Amino acid sequence: MEQQPGYILLIDCPDEKGLVHHISGVLYRLGLNIIGNQEFVEHEEDRFFMRTSFRGAIQPDEVVEELKALLPAGANISLRQHQPKNIVLLVTREQHCLAELLVRNQFRELNANILAVVGNHPDLGRFTHQFGINFHHVPHEGISREQHEAHILEVVSRYQPEYLVLAKYMRILSPEFVARFPNRIINIHHSFLPAFIGASPYRQAYERGVKIIGATAHIVNNDLDEGPIIVQNVIPVDHTYSVNDMIRTGKDVEKIALARALQLVFDDKVTVNGNKTIIFD
Amino acid sequence: MEQQPGYILLIDCPDEKGLVHHISGVLYRLGLNIIGNQEFVEHEEDRFFMRTSFRGAIQPDEVVEELKALLPAGANISLRQHQPKNIVLLVTREQHCLAELLVRNQFRELNANILAVVGNHPDLGRFTHQFGINFHHVPHEGISREQHEAHILEVVSRYQPEYLVLAKYMRILSPEFVARFPNRIINIHHSFLPAFIGASPYRQAYERGVKIIGATAHIVNNDLDEGPIIVQNVIPVDHTYSVNDMIRTGKDVEKIALARALQLVFDDKVTVNGNKTIIFD
Amino acid sequence: MEQQPGYILLIDCPDEKGLVHHISGVLYRLGLNIIGNQEFVEHEEDRFFMRTSFRGAIQPDEVVEELKALLPAGANISLRQHQPKNIVLLVTREQHCLAELLVRNQFRELNANILAVVGNHPDLGRFTHQFGINFHHVPHEGISREQHEAHILEVVSRYQPEYLVLAKYMRILSPEFVARFPNRIINIHHSFLPAFIGASPYRQAYERGVKIIGATAHIVNNDLDEGPIIVQNVIPVDHTYSVNDMIRTGKDVEKIALARALQLVFDDKVTVNGNKTIIFD
Amino acid sequence: MEQQPGYILLIDCPDEKGLVHHISGVLYRLGLNIIGNQEFVEHEEDRFFMRTSFRGAIQPDEVVEELKALLPAGANISLRQHQPKNIVLLVTREQHCLAELLVRNQFRELNANILAVVGNHPDLGRFTHQFGINFHHVPHEGISREQHEAHILEVVSRYQPEYLVLAKYMRILSPEFVARFPNRIINIHHSFLPAFIGASPYRQAYERGVKIIGATAHIVNNDLDEGPIIVQNVIPVDHTYSVNDMIRTGKDVEKIALARALQLVFDDKVTVNGNKTIIFD
């Protein structure tokens, strides 16, 4: 027997009595096979969040309409078929996060399709090609940031990706660029945010003499290093670690944090709530 | 305004379509204020688990009857008012877990009332008394295990505790004793179970040369060290650790694991499913 | 046979060839029983650090003189008998760190003697007395910070402690006060420094939506929250944690971080190097 | 200026007074530039361990002879130039550990040269070739274990590797095979040993309801899953994890544990002491 398509329903709206009962009623009357169901109420702002995964033959637009009719004003409803997301990666020179994603992609463990990799340096082109993935070198030297971003946008647009992943892309994106992909750019920052915002976080960590270093995967918004955090990951260090030891050790933490964050995002488990995330894991 | 009483509803039953809708319907019609709601379906055995916390003026027996009527056969329904549990501790000679619980109890951070402490050695009597808690020395020397457990039972029975907590109680309880407190005895085992079952786990860990040690808080059933696990906690060690260093380091891991497990149990967040736990955290 | 007294030798000096050979030569000729020996060279500034623990019958002053003669200029030499340190605790209202230390002290697991507890609020007096330890309430209301610190100093001076431990003491100490106890004041800060410096770090962490919270035990110097870090400890959190949940969860992390830091300090395993620590663990 | 060659000196011998002084004397008289120095005495058996890294122009054989003359009987002395180790990998079907090592190898971050990959299944051949590394399919079907191992040995022997790495090689090696590479075979076991020895550890972990899963990188000796442990790594799980979720989550833990273990081994930081390791990190 052929399996019915799977869907993920994400709802957030002002909290009120009976939401679970009413929403589950819609799904029950459609005769769907519920796989999982989770709710959360953010009590500081009385907002209700829900994630339901189910299988069934539905007309998604009709389900959304029916839900909209019974939910309070200000409700966000997302109903997506469960399938791999199309993504493009941006990189600079470091390979560890790129490699992590290329390997998972090749073995279909990423829940995404890497359509292409864009680098502002050419260094990772050959490596990307080993995996049979397109690499585009979009240099930034000698042109303005606006021009560079326009070039990137031109390349990215050809692929129509659902998400951009900054896999150690070491340039700051302009608010205008970010605004084109709202909540759809994922970055890995090489520190335990909000510690060590900005450049050379491992040098900063070394100078401060911390005993734990970390990495933060987050959604990019207009403020540098300030977007909603998805995953943080840490590892102990001690006084014997040079800056380079921290950088090397940090790579493992970074790539695993990024990979876990992407798994959550691509499984539609992440809802953005202001500058925070609600994660139904 | 006076706050309405809080309740925790725990349900588990064979999975079927519409459970969330039907259960939430009962609560909705009662006009309750839902604080939190979580469901889980164990897919290997198709069993549904749910925890709901709410406030409201209800007749608990009537609610349970109404739920029973609409749930499939084999449903377990627990509806308890949210209030501190009454507990008795069993100890031997080590103080770290006992101290952790006595301090939390004194500052009302345990969500329980420690009614008494029972020790098979007298060592911890004075310390317990510092906290104004009764201590009963029930010696085991020169008598059979049955006799000893009968003595313990006699003392424990005076307090009618809802839970017994083995806070480093170093004697094995008989199945007969355990059967009197089904899923109501919590133990802290000083290893990362199922590694190092049995006596002297730190000596075993030292001999094996492990690089991480741990502790396991679990519900006691008939098989020693085999009950459902609630919390596990670990900490790295290295070759410089003697057995005594491991024991000392392990104490911190043990007491925090036990305290976290008790917090989960006393908040009615733990459901036992065979020899496993479902934890709605 | 009576055991010979144990000593800890801590040396730091500019690095040069032969240091280990020359220092170990002094100890060898004295016929000492070396228990452990560790060296470290900080390569950014070419500074040599060494910790040796040994047993033997020595004239400490003579050993220090002999070492000074063969070490380069700028050497720090500390030779201390291995014995419990005398300490005074400063507290405010929260009991978890205080309780952790009082319990360890009572069972001789702190490698220190708590001589007294000083609180700027009276709340923890009764609890401290349960352990048979002096408590001094030194109120700060209605007087200047200078006056308050003078009162504290007056009380502390009676005990001649080797270390002051800020066990959740919630007031900022002046540089003048700190200067009287150079590298001898240990603080627990309730965040993963340098994230969330300043007031209400858990509120800050909540607002930022972090996925891990932490605590930092450090030596106090003139700059608030800027002293050399000894231990950091973290724990994962998620979107379901309210500020109060973070505070409660953080308490376990704080008290264990502080207790570990004190263990390292009281075992003379910590050397301060600028605003960092070298820890021979 | 050309840099002098780097060496790692590893010594272990019965403990006696003056060892550090005498050994450091040899190095001092040679005018070497000591980069790092660490000692450890295992007190249960009174055995001394030392690791020294240095630069200098030496005749290694002469240095070893000179050290041998002054060390007690039963001393092991290893003096190796610091250079990448030559290794061969054995794999079966899973790619995650293999990929981790191939990527690090390509970017010279492994401190080793992967000479070839041998698989008892052909699945990973194409992937290995993407990295320009030889892959040998040595099937085990229809032949005895002895024959299969003879085939593997024939292939491996062509490369004269210093170490064999079992990167999720799912067959048990015979004692005879292992004896040919004493302390030179590194394995990654997909459980937190000694928990879940043997087959299907994730299924075992799932059945037991553990709350933490782990992986263990160890040196292979005659007893399956019983060799000296180098690195252990863990990650929390909960009741929502299916066996497959544990397997997927475990992969990250496995590959990082293996990579860290290899870094330690290839940097000559690991000394085997019976069935344990001394690690000078």
Side-chain angles (χ1 to χ4, degrees), chain B residues 163-177:
Chain B
Y163 288 93
L164 290 186
V165 177
L166 310 185
K168 300 291 284 180
Y169 180 69
M170 304 307 282
R171 288 174 60 83
I172 296 168
L173 294 169
S174 71
E176 293 71 31
F177 187 96

Side-chain angles (χ1 to χ4, degrees), chain A residues 2 23 35 53 67 112-113 130 150 153 162 174 182 192-193 221 232 250 280:
Chain A
E2 212 175 321
I23 296 168
I35 296 164
S53 69
L67 288 167
N113 304 310
Q130 286 174 216
L153 204 57
E162 296 169 86
S174 71
F192 183 74
L193 288 176
N221 63 15
Q232 298 191 293
F280 289 116

Side-chain angles (χ1 to χ4, degrees), chain D residues 24-36:
Chain D
S24 61
V26 171
L27 304 177
Y28 177 57
R29 284 187 294 276
L30 287 165
L32 304 175
N33 188 13
I34 307 289
I35 295 163

Side-chain angles (χ1 to χ4, degrees), chain D residues 149-163:
Chain D
E149 289 189 350
H151 293 172
I152 289 178
L153 204 55
E154 193 275 317
V155 172
V156 165
S157 300
R158 293 181 221 161
Y159 294 97
Q160 297 292 322
E162 297 169 86
Y163 289 93

